Amino acid sequence: MIIEDISEKDIEQALSIYNYYVKNTAITFDYNIQTIDDFKAKVKEISKKYPYLVAKENNKVVGYAYAGPFVGRDAYNHSCELTIYLDNKEKGRGVGKKLYSKMEQILRQMGIMNLYSCIAYPDKDDEYLTSNSRDFHKHLGFTQVGYFNKCGYKFNRFYNMVWMEKIIKNPKDKVKVISYIDLKNLNK
């Protein structure tokens, strides 16, 4: 398995992974599948500052993860939100752990201190949503820092949302935050 930056040739496979979750789960609260143009635009926008990684086996995208702004105001530049999606047949093989490990390594180098993840969460597991995503993040050292009751509605039922946090740098280590593009240029 290799972990690398997403490329143009990976976008269709990554979009297919995401649209599976839109159509079949409450993991994302999106109702409508994304178009290839929407997905490309999102990847392009995120990649201006943050990493957007894919996990591949035999040239097949088996998962992807990306970082993005947390809240979007300058005071939060040392924090970011993480998102991850795996091919629905790839769970339990360590793909997510490898993606997040590489993501954390990059984000530390960028000067990011706090990682956040917003996760759909059921009152009890059902056919559209389980507690697996929260448990996955907890296993990787995230702690739950927020809980929102019945804030998402999909498949004719309400779901909760949790916020998870992981601190990856000491706040005493005052480091300037740089973009992923700048980091890659420094490492050339």
Side-chain angles (χ1 to χ4, degrees):
M1 179 183 317
I2 60 167
I3 308 292
E4 62 186 12
D5 293 328
I6 195 167
S7 70
E8 181 79 22
K9 67 182 186 297
D10 300 324
I11 289 184
E12 193 170 325
Q13 291 180 60
L15 173 61
S16 177
I17 290 170
Y18 182 71
N19 281 337
Y20 168 85
Y21 288 99
V22 173
K23 291 185 280 188
N24 299 295
T25 77
I27 288 171
T28 174
F29 287 161
D30 276 343
Y31 285 0
N32 301 310
I33 61 170
Q34 284 193 2
T35 67
I36 194 83
D37 291 336
D38 292 338
F39 203 78
K40 282 181 184 177
K42 184 176 183 177
V43 168
K44 183 178 179 182
E45 185 61 31
I46 288 168
S47 297
K48 288 178 181 176
K49 183 173 180 182
Y50 296 99
Y52 203 118
L53 305 176
V54 292
K56 293 167 86 172
E57 284 187 328
N58 302 318
N59 279 335
K60 180 184 181 235
V61 175
V62 294
Y64 69 90
Y66 62 89
F70 176 71
V71 181
R73 293 188 177 87
D74 290 341
Y76 297 105
N77 281 345
H78 285 82
S79 301
C80 69
E81 183 177 349
L82 296 182
T83 301
I84 187 168
Y85 287 96
L86 305 180
D87 181 299
N88 67 308
K89 298 170 197 82
E90 296 294 329
K91 296 174 187 168
R93 293 187 44 234
V95 176
K97 185 175 182 177
K98 288 176 184 170
L99 274 166
Y100 262 21
S101 178
K102 180 67 173 177
M103 185 67 72
E104 282 186 36
Q105 175 190 351
I106 292 167
L107 294 169
R108 263 192 209 93
Q109 292 174 336
M110 289 173 54
I112 299 292
M113 183 176 71
N114 297 340
L115 308 179
Y116 294 96
S117 191
C118 179
I119 301 166
Y121 189 72
D123 285 329
K124 65 178 186 166
D125 290 0
D126 65 28
E127 68 272 28
Y128 302 112
L129 186 64
T130 68
S131 59
N132 288 350
S133 186
R134 189 206 54 176
D135 297 344
F136 164 76
H137 284 81
K138 189 175 180 181
H139 177 73
L140 295 181
F142 284 74
T143 57
Q144 185 173 310
V145 293
Y147 187 94
F148 296 81
N149 288 295
K150 307 208 183 331
C151 61
Y153 186 78
K154 193 170 179 181
F155 302 119
N156 298 315
R157 61 193 77 174
F158 283 98
Y159 290 102
N160 310 308
M161 180 181 67
V162 295
W163 276 97
M164 308 274 305
E165 173 188 61
K166 183 174 184 179
I167 298 171
I168 60 171
K169 282 183 92 58
N170 187 328
K172 293 178 183 176
D173 299 337
K174 294 182 181 169
V175 177
K176 180 181 175 191
V177 176
I178 62 173
S179 73
Y180 185 47
I181 291 171
D182 291 338
L183 177 66
K184 289 194 298 186
N185 287 334
L186 284 174
N187 290 334
K188 283 185 179 178

